[in-house]
Amino acid sequence: MKIVVTGAKGRIGAVLVDYARSQGAQVLGVDSVGRGSWREQYIAADLTDTGSCYDVLRGADAVINLAAIADSGMFPNAHTFQTNMAITYNVFLAAAHLGVPRVVWASSIQVNHTVPAHRPVRYQYFPLDEAHPVDPQSEYALSKYLGEQIAEYFARDYGLTTVSLRFTDVVTVERWPSLPQAIPPDLRYPIPHYVHIHDCARACYLAATAPLPAGSHTLAFIAARDTHVDMPSRELIARYYPDAELRADIQGYQALISGRRAEEAFGFVPQYSCRS
Ligand SMILES: NC(=O)c1ccc[n+]([C@@H]2O[C@H](COP(=O)([O-])OP(=O)(O)OC[C@H]3O[C@@H](n4cnc5c(N)ncnc54)[C@H](O)[C@@H]3O)[C@@H](O)[C@H]2O)c1
């Protein structure tokens, strides 16, 4: 199976490339960093350029699109928004025209709560799931929300099989020893969430390779099964979100985000907990 991984030189992309190769996939890495090397199966390309997208996606069975400006505050908002929209649209368009049947791409928990938030973040119920209303509060978050609409559109109108992965806070191997952590004294504290970077990479690979209905769009949170803070989850809800409805019997430090969709759709079960 030939998979194109964009954002291949980024934090998650680099881990994903190694993981997918270890599973036997033929992987072409693409990123705008440095210059390419056919020996390393890496091509340097700016994916805001539509023609470059067509070139690198040719012959692929799936693309996992991680290339993006990966947060707010690094560049002017307009640049972040325009870059992310251009990359996402170009990748989906090229896949549709070239017959690349599966597109997986990185959305973000920031569609539900943006960091830092401009207004109080409200949750109607817990565990949070994909049916909960979103509230993007930055151009970065907006680019992720609109990317989900693009994924939906290309599934519906072009028959692509698309997967939007709402990554939670992806914890690198270097940061892992610092968890669990104390809760910050901020009343706008967003719900705690995380996923180990190796779990995140495995989720991408599963989303690209597991059987899914042709022409479907799957939207799924990618999260650990517990929180990464030292406050029990019920206490946390009572303190920060007292009006939210409790839709499940959340115990101990259990996650406030449901992982059911990712498990049912493509078999993703996280293997890492910061408490084990
Ligand atoms: N890290 C997290 O906690 C997290 C959480 C939610 C969502 N995400 C999303 O996951 C994806 C990967 O995140 P990451 O943490 O690895 O970020 P990262 O910044 O480490 O990697 C992103 C990569 O995209 C590349 N890129 C940027 N613009 C490009 C362009 N025009 N053409 C080609 N490549 C380009 C960058 O060079 C970089 O290597 C991003 O889409 C990000 O928004 C990450």
Side-chain angles (χ1 to χ4, degrees), residues 6-14 30-33 42-49 65-71 74-75 79 83-84 86-88 105-110 140 143-144 165-172 175 193 195 197 200:
T6 75
K9 295 292 181 190
R11 286 166 296 194
I12 303 165
V30 181
D31 203 303
S32 52
V33 171
Y42 171 66
I43 290 189
D46 178 350
L47 298 174
T48 61
D49 173 51
N65 180 39
L66 303 181
I69 293 178
D71 208 344
M74 296 192 282
F75 297 97
H79 180 71
T83 300
N84 287 358
I87 294 173
T88 307
W105 81 287
S107 181
S108 170
I109 179 74
Q110 292 209 33
Y140 169 74
S143 76
K144 294 300 185 183
L165 300 176
R166 278 188 190 161
F167 294 167
T168 50
D169 183 9
V170 181
V171 181
T172 58
R175 207 179 120 210
H193 54 76
V195 63
I197 196 162
C200 183

Side-chain angles (χ1 to χ4, degrees), residues 71-129:
D71 208 344
S72 302
M74 296 192 282
F75 297 97
N77 289 331
H79 180 71
T80 300
F81 180 76
Q82 288 165 6
T83 300
N84 287 358
M85 293 315 299
I87 294 173
T88 307
Y89 177 74
N90 285 344
V91 167
F92 277 96
L93 183 75
H97 286 172
L98 294 169
V100 178
R102 178 87 55 112
V103 182
V104 177
W105 81 287
S107 181
S108 170
I109 179 74
Q110 292 209 33
V111 300
N112 285 96
H113 84 241
T114 308
V115 181
H118 296 162
R119 315 177 284 284
V121 179
R122 303 198 188 285
Y123 295 102
Q124 295 175 2
Y125 59 83
F126 290 112
L128 180 68
D129 62 19

